[in-house]
Amino acid sequence: MFFYPDLMVDKITNINGGILSGLGVKNILLDIDDTISPNDGTAISSDTLNWVGMLKEKSYKIALISNNSEDRAEYFAKILGTPYVYKAMKPLPFGINKCMRLISAKRDNTVLIGDQIFTDVVGARLCKIKSILVEPLNKEGGFFLKFKRLLEGRIRCSCRQR
Ligand SMILES: [Mg+2]
């Protein structure tokens, strides 16, 4: 189904090498807001830092992809030592394609990991790459985000029941 990710997990640190090789993935496009850091701050957990370090050690290529500002994307890219694309305009394909070029990623071995169905999962679909959906780190948000999450909740539910 168009809105279903290839996989759903509670948090990114649950995604281990076994899961990634099961999906045939070597390249990771990583959303920022509510995936690696809550959307209302710049906190990043030591678990997340260790997880990124582990993946790099196993020679996975990682790039950050965010619809947010350059300042914010650059901030996390510096911490994690990865390339980044800001104002990516997910789910449109341009930013995602640009991000793939940064790490020379091929469609058949790339996954986009993020917390939103209508930006991350749909964007991955449109680019014909894989997607993993995580639970958002911060469930709060403005009216529009809450509305989107309400719709997403229904899709998450039906996807789980599959
Ligand atoms: Mg996000």
Side-chain angles (χ1 to χ4, degrees):
M1 209 274 235
F2 189 74
F3 293 105
Y4 289 173
D6 291 276
L7 189 74
M8 278 197 299
V9 296
D10 287 341
K11 49 188 181 168
I12 48 172
T13 49
N14 289 354
I15 304 168
N16 57 32
I19 287 176
L20 293 171
S21 41
L23 288 172
V25 156
K26 286 303 285 176
N27 303 292
I28 297 165
L29 311 187
L30 197 54
D31 172 52
I32 295 176
D33 291 345
D34 279 337
T35 297
I36 62 168
S37 179
N39 64 16
D40 60 350
T42 53
I44 185 160
S45 72
S46 56
D47 283 354
T48 297
L49 293 173
N50 292 337
W51 178 77
V52 170
M54 175 274 288
L55 292 175
K56 283 179 156 183
E57 222 159 80
K58 294 186 175 176
S59 51
Y60 286 95
K61 285 192 278 177
I62 305 173
L64 301 182
I65 180 145
S66 176
N67 284 357
N68 215 322
S69 68
E70 176 162 32
D71 284 355
R72 187 162 169 84
E74 188 186 27
Y75 173 82
F76 289 104
K78 274 199 178 136
I79 291 175
L80 299 175
T82 63
Y84 65 94
V85 171
Y86 65 97
K87 289 191 181 154
M89 298 202 297
K90 293 174 284 181
L92 297 179
F94 320 107
I96 298 172
N97 286 333
K98 182 178 172 190
C99 198
M100 287 173 64
R101 283 199 297 276
L102 288 180
I103 54 171
S104 314
K106 298 258 186 301
R107 293 188 196 285
D108 59 359
N109 61 5
T110 301
V111 66
L112 198 162
I113 302 174
D115 67 296
Q116 288 198 46
I117 290 173
F118 301 117
T119 54
D120 302 311
V121 174
V122 169
R125 276 274 180 211
L126 293 175
C127 286
K128 300 188 165 56
I129 61 174
K130 300 199 166 69
S131 61
I132 299 177
L133 183 66
V134 302
E135 288 290 329
L137 289 175
N138 181 6
K139 311 250 180 197
E140 297 303 309
F143 171 78
F144 184 61
L145 190 59
K146 278 188 181 142
F147 180 68
K148 272 209 292 191
R149 294 253 161 88
L150 186 74
L151 295 175
E152 284 182 342
R154 299 196 161 205
I155 299 173
R156 280 177 195 267
C157 234
S158 63
C159 187
R160 263 187 213 105
Q161 285 164 1
R162 253 194 329 175

